[in-house]
């Protein structure tokens, strides 16, 4: 199944990339819950985590500490949450495996239901800061 993530991975649509390896890509969420909210995405178009082999799930989740540390360093966040949804009823909007990495800040409360819409230039600047923090 082709999704917006497939289009970003294959270069047909733009995304603000912060990390990439042979099997994964991480981009900034276009509608973030908070500054630095990112998505770690499998390049193979698995719909649900239960479609993946155990080794592939382990590999996916093993990348989170490195990516999260770069996000924290670049944004000044002090903590982070991760989320991974499977199926429409679980609020998986795009049917392609991805993990949300959401920075948390000491000086503000974040609401999951309130998302921002940063400008393209804001996302570009932030993606560069995060890439430079690895």
């Amino acid at each position: 199944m082709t999704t917006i993530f497939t289009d970003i991975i294959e270069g047909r649509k733009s995304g603000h990339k912060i990390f990439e390896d042979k099997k994964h890509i991480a981009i900034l969420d276009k509608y973030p819950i908070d500054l630095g909210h990112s998505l770690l995405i499998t390049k193979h178009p698995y719909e649900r985590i239960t479609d993946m082999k155990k080794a592939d799930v382990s590999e996916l989740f093993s990348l989170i500490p490195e990516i999260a540390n770069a996000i924290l360093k670049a944004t000044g966040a002090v903590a982070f949450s991760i989320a991974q949804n499977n199926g429409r009823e679980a609020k998986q909007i795009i049917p392609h495996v991805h993990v949300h990495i959401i920075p948390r800040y000491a000086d503000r409360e974040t609401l999951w239901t309130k998302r921002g819409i940063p400008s393209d230039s804001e996302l570009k600047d932030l993606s560069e800061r995060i890439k430079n923090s690895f």
Side-chain angles (χ1 to χ4, degrees):
M1 171 188 298
T2 299
T3 67
I4 190 168
F5 293 158
T6 308
D7 289 340
I8 291 169
I9 292 162
E10 294 179 0
R12 290 188 297 270
K13 290 197 183 269
S14 64
H16 295 281
K17 188 183 338 175
I18 61 169
F19 173 88
E20 185 172 17
D21 69 12
K22 189 176 177 179
K23 295 182 179 179
H24 311 90
I25 187 170
I27 61 172
L28 290 174
D29 193 306
K30 194 171 179 176
Y31 306 104
I33 290 170
D34 216 331
L35 179 70
H37 179 174
S38 300
L39 306 172
L40 175 57
I41 306 162
T42 60
K43 286 186 176 178
H44 185 84
Y46 301 108
E47 184 173 334
R48 297 175 182 218
I49 203 165
T50 51
D51 299 332
M52 298 172 67
K53 293 179 183 175
K54 186 188 292 189
D56 292 334
V57 174
S58 293
E59 191 174 355
L60 173 69
F61 277 85
S62 74
L63 296 171
I64 292 171
E66 179 183 9
I67 296 168
N69 279 327
I71 294 167
L72 296 176
K73 184 177 176 184
T75 63
V78 297
F80 68 96
S81 297
I82 59 173
Q84 201 284 316
N85 304 317
N86 295 275
R88 181 180 300 257
E89 295 77 10
K91 306 299 184 217
Q92 181 184 19
I93 296 168
I94 299 171
H96 186 133
V97 169
H98 59 286
V99 179
H100 295 261
I101 303 171
I102 305 160
R104 302 301 188 163
Y105 298 87
D107 60 347
R108 64 182 177 253
E109 189 174 320
T110 302
L111 298 174
W112 282 80
T113 56
K114 186 177 180 185
R115 292 182 175 241
I117 305 175
S119 70
D120 194 56
S121 65
E122 289 172 316
L123 290 171
K124 182 180 179 195
D125 291 345
L126 181 56
S127 68
E128 289 302 319
R129 285 198 339 251
I130 294 171
K131 285 190 275 191
N132 291 331
S133 294
F134 277 90

